[in-house]
Amino acid sequence: MKLLHIDSSITGSDSISRRLSHEIVAQQRAAHPDLQVAYLDLAAQAPQPLSLNALGFRMPGQADAATEAQRLENEVSEALVSQLLATDIVVIGAPMYNFTIPAQLKSWLDRVAQAGRTFKYTESGPVGLLGDKTVILALSRGGIYSANPAMEHQESYLKSIFGFMGVSDIRVVRAEGLNMGPEHRERGLAQAQADIEALLAA
């Protein structure tokens, strides 16, 4: 069994989402002694945002005429999507920045959301191709947004894009209210720990 562990917070050792994602991976290691873990720290090394070079070579008839820049971008995208396809469990640490996910995590998602690899289009609409995977989201938020969906584009976006790619087993560990004072912070961290304990029973 293979697990892909991804962190995206820029705050290093102060990051709650990193702490939660590492606790989840430790839990999964204990539950699956044969687990193989690969780690991506997107804050330290993230793919470039999509550009014509990063996307143009995927267009019909363009592969044979790829420039050197497109070839290099293709290698990045191919390595990332191949790693995802070979994975059974994906654990993603993601803080909320300006109501959504970090830009570096969005760049990774843009590289792996590929027609023909992680989803396909049919006459009936898009079909996801990652239905055999489990995704665990370790989310942190300074405020409380679970009751205000109009401003929440972190958890909802991640659920939407992985659902689009066919993942139905999406589990969430959520710590929110972290910047709203000691009482809210303690409550948010306690809820996250309860979420982690519940993962293996899901």
Side-chain angles (χ1 to χ4, degrees):
M1 182 175 290
K2 294 183 178 181
L3 183 149
L4 176 58
H5 178 192
I6 299 174
D7 276 326
S8 58
S9 170
I10 61 174
T11 57
S13 60
D14 293 329
S15 168
I16 296 298
S17 67
R18 285 177 180 267
R19 190 176 95 186
L20 296 176
S21 74
H22 283 258
E23 289 181 14
I24 293 166
V25 172
Q27 178 204 59
Q28 294 297 314
R29 283 185 187 274
H32 308 286
D34 62 339
L35 192 66
Q36 300 176 40
V37 178
Y39 182 60
L40 287 178
D41 186 345
L42 296 178
Q45 187 173 15
Q48 292 295 314
L50 279 185
S51 64
L52 184 59
N53 285 331
L55 185 62
F57 65 87
R58 299 186 200 170
M59 300 173 66
Q62 295 297 311
D64 294 337
T67 65
E68 178 66 9
Q70 289 174 331
R71 186 187 65 77
L72 292 173
E73 292 291 349
N74 185 29
E75 290 179 358
V76 172
S77 296
E78 180 59 32
L80 293 174
V81 75
S82 295
Q83 182 181 49
L84 175 61
L85 290 170
T87 294
D88 302 294
I89 303 171
V90 184
V91 176
I92 298 178
M96 176 184 277
Y97 293 161
N98 298 318
F99 311 116
T100 189
I101 62 173
Q104 51 270 23
L105 179 55
K106 177 64 164 59
S107 293
W108 178 83
L109 286 164
D110 285 341
R111 296 302 186 117
V112 300
Q114 293 188 28
R117 304 297 296 282
T118 53
F119 69 93
K120 64 181 180 181
Y121 289 111
T122 71
E123 292 181 356
S124 302
V127 175
L129 302 176
L130 300 184
D132 60 339
K133 303 188 187 308
T134 295
V135 171
I136 304 173
L137 306 175
L139 307 179
S140 62
R141 305 170 185 165
I144 297 176
Y145 294 92
S146 55
N148 189 4
M151 299 181 71
E152 193 283 296
H153 307 289
Q154 174 204 36
E155 180 177 335
S156 57
Y157 173 71
L158 289 169
K159 285 181 173 179
S160 293
I161 192 164
F162 279 108
F164 179 83
M165 291 189 287
V167 180
S168 58
D169 187 3
I170 302 174
R171 309 176 192 184
V172 179
V173 172
R174 184 190 308 110
E176 59 180 355
L178 300 176
N179 296 335
M180 296 175 62
E183 184 176 345
H184 282 292
R185 183 180 179 85
E186 183 177 347
R187 186 180 302 135
L189 293 174
Q191 181 58 59
Q193 290 303 314
D195 291 342
I196 291 175
E197 292 173 7
L199 286 175
L200 294 181

